[in-house]
Amino acid sequence: MSERHWELVGAPNARDLGGLVGADGRRVRPGVLIRTPALGRLTDEDLPVLAKLGPACVVDLRDVAEQAVAPPDRLPGEPRVVHLPVHDAAHPVFTYVSAVLLGHDLSAYDELAGEGTPSAMAAIYRWFVTGESARAGFGTAVRLAAEAENLPLLYHCSAGKDRTGWLTVVLLHALGVDEAAIRADYLANNALSESLREVLLSAMRRRNPELDVDAVRPVLEVRDEYLDAGYAEVRRVHGSFGAYLRDGLGVDRETVTALRGRLLE
């Protein structure tokens, strides 16, 4: 994982991808790619930190329904905001994550818990590869990152771990970062968000003493098996990650060249 030179109290798993080694041994430039959760919980003390990072473009991967029930993003300055909803109502995991984060009633999700949330999470990652809005959103985000006027680029979903995590996987593969380093950044979410996760679970237990924590915890974590499900779907449908970038996301060679030229030192 890249070094953390700053922190956002209201977004503990936010981080700069600078420092990761990409194509030809060149490193990702610090301060150009920033991944975060939704920014509605930033503290007043966080705002000067974010202002110093100075994102020129903020990509929001949430659906409009998710945005409506969450606090609005707190953004210093006037960055360009691009809404690229990666969402499928057929997969209730999306709304489940938002409901958990916002402390809403989870009784409507008993069926999801019954089928096994780890399996449902793996299904989401397979959908990331084939879903129409997923392919459109992730492809557009990569093309935005290849344009100088959008840098620094900050991108987020709700929790900043699944859609944000897969977009990070896509961007780092396009930049030529080693898969082991990509996986390490992906899994770093669990340690960075551990305290927040336990606070959420404790609050949920107080509201519902009969809460099945084992059913909720997989939705609040990232796991190797989720990432592996996405990778397996890439191989099944496209054969390689390069072919997925080209054929699945419409990211052509020129875009990859521009991305590497602007984001690698």
Side-chain angles (χ1 to χ4, degrees):
M1 188 186 72
S2 55
E3 294 183 25
R4 278 163 59 89
H5 300 293
W6 48 266
E7 291 184 37
L8 296 173
V9 174
N13 58 338
R15 53 206 186 268
D16 180 351
L17 298 174
L20 293 170
V21 179
D24 304 318
R26 299 158 64 197
R27 293 183 180 272
V28 179
R29 289 170 50 205
V32 293
L33 280 181
I34 301 161
R35 56 171 296 178
T36 74
L39 300 173
R41 297 181 183 274
L42 294 188
T43 66
D44 290 344
E45 291 73 22
D46 288 333
L47 296 181
V49 178
L50 186 57
K52 189 173 181 180
L53 294 171
C57 181
V58 174
V59 170
D60 188 340
L61 301 171
R62 296 175 297 173
D63 180 68
V64 64
E66 295 175 271
Q67 294 174 324
V69 297
D73 278 358
R74 302 189 71 188
L75 296 172
E78 296 183 355
R80 175 188 183 192
V81 177
V82 180
H83 184 214
L84 299 175
V86 174
H87 185 270
D88 185 351
H91 283 293
V93 170
F94 288 117
T95 50
Y96 185 51
V97 171
S98 292
V100 168
L101 292 173
L102 296 167
H104 293 172
D105 180 19
L106 301 180
S107 58
Y109 300 96
D110 288 345
E111 183 178 347
L112 173 63
E115 75 180 55
T117 43
S119 295
M121 292 298 295
I124 286 289
Y125 279 71
R126 289 190 290 271
W127 178 84
F128 285 163
V129 178
T130 58
E132 183 178 351
S133 71
R135 292 190 298 110
F138 294 140
T140 300
V142 175
R143 289 187 286 277
L144 288 171
E147 299 173 1
E149 62 266 30
N150 295 321
L151 301 178
L153 181 79
L154 182 152
Y155 57 96
H156 72 77
C157 52
S158 287
K161 65 184 186 68
D162 299 310
R163 287 167 288 185
T164 298
W166 186 254
L167 176 54
T168 302
V169 169
V170 169
L171 285 164
L172 294 181
H173 269 286
L175 290 169
V177 175
D178 177 80
E179 191 172 306
I182 294 174
R183 185 178 294 268
D185 174 79
Y186 170 78
L187 293 173
N189 176 85
N190 288 343
L192 294 173
S193 61
E194 181 178 7
S195 58
L196 175 61
R197 189 165 57 250
E198 294 308 316
V199 167
L200 287 170
L201 287 169
S202 295
M204 292 164 67
R205 282 195 208 97
R206 286 195 297 274
R207 286 193 299 269
N208 178 11
E210 298 180 3
L211 177 74
D212 183 355
V213 173
D214 289 337
V216 175
R217 190 178 293 278
V219 179
L220 298 176
E221 297 175 342
V222 296
R223 297 185 177 184
D224 280 301
E225 65 195 90
Y226 306 162
L227 187 57
D228 289 341
Y231 277 139
E233 191 73 350
V234 165
R235 291 191 297 270
R236 185 188 73 81
V237 177
H238 297 287
S240 70
F241 214 96
Y244 164 58
L245 285 170
R246 183 187 66 240
D247 303 328
L249 302 182
V251 175
D252 57 24
R253 185 183 299 273
E254 290 75 19
T255 301
V256 171
T257 299
L259 193 75
R260 294 180 177 186
R262 294 193 171 107
L263 272 66
L264 296 178
E265 293 182 313

